[in-house]
Every structure is written in C-alpha cells, then in structure tokens.
Amino acid sequence: QTQLAESGGGSVQAGGSLTLSCLHYGYRYDRSCMSWFRQAPGKGREGIVFIYSVDGSTAYADSAKGRFSISQDDAKNTLYLHMINLTPDDTGMYYCAARAASSRSCVGSVRDYDHWGQGTQVTVSS
C-alpha cells in the first residue's frame, strides 16, 4: 500500500525559508512521478513542482521558479521541497503526491495523481 507522509511545515516570516519532507513507501513503480501541490486558503490545489524519478528531470510552476527546488534521496525514500524567499502568498497546505509515470513529463493536475499525503501547513507572515 502506497503511503506518503509530509513533514517540515510551520510558521515563518516573509523572506524566510523552509524545507518540507515527504517520506514515501509501499509503491512498486519502475518509473514514477512525484510532485508537490499547494492549496492556499479558499483556493484549489495546484501543482508547483514535479520530478521524474528515473532521471530527476523537474518542472516548476511559475510561482515556484527561482525560489523553490525539489530533490529526492532514494536511500531514505524521501522527497524534499526547499523553499526560500517565502511570501505570504506561499501560505497554504502543501501536499506530496505520486503516480506511475507513462513518460518523462510529470506535470499534471490533482486528478492525474493517485497517491497523496495528508499535507503539512505552511504559514508565512508579513
């Protein structure tokens, strides 16, 4: 059974940084896509960073470019989201998601991903 568990959220002032972690285990895909989604208060869940597990190729939403980076540690079954220069607009619940990959393109919406964590809250104050 595939399970994802996020951690590392918290409260930070604008301009600060946070690193989120996603421990993942239980799935048997030879090729997989993993991603971080964000759901701001009163808004839908949007994908902000995507990574293809085989070669580590990544894609970023415009809101994440230049400030967020994704990395994976296969030995620890952990996916990371490194965030710097945070703004109040980055406030929201952050979710880790995974699915089997049919190609190197991992960009997708909520409906494209099969496995989800419970989320971790990030609050950025001005």
Side-chain angles (χ1 to χ4, degrees), residues 6-124:
E6 303 93 336
S7 61
S11 296
V12 63
Q13 289 191 328
S17 61
L18 278 175
T19 293
L20 307 182
S21 301
C22 173
L23 175 63
H24 55 89
Y25 50 93
Y27 62 87
R28 299 284 187 267
Y29 305 138
D30 292 334
R31 301 180 299 165
S32 65
C33 288
M34 296 201 71
S35 63
W36 287 96
F37 281 71
R38 175 174 67 198
Q39 187 162 16
K43 296 186 178 180
R45 198 173 298 187
E46 62 167 345
I48 53 174
V49 186
F50 306 87
I51 187 167
Y52 178 53
S53 65
V54 175
D55 61 9
S57 59
T58 58
Y60 293 82
D62 288 344
S63 60
K65 289 179 181 178
R67 300 187 302 123
F68 293 5
S69 63
I70 190 171
S71 64
Q72 56 185 3
D73 185 333
D74 293 337
K76 296 182 178 180
N77 285 347
T78 302
L79 182 74
Y80 300 98
L81 179 64
H82 310 279
M83 306 184 291
I84 63 171
N85 295 331
L86 288 162
T87 75
D89 288 341
D90 295 315
T91 293
M93 188 71 80
Y94 284 69
Y95 297 90
C96 176
R99 65 174 174 84
S102 56
S103 71
R104 294 178 69 250
S105 176
C106 290
V107 176
S109 63
V110 171
R111 63 184 180 183
D112 297 315
Y113 278 79
D114 303 313
H115 308 288
W116 294 85
Q118 80 290 349
T120 186
Q121 177 68 36
V122 172
T123 302
V124 184

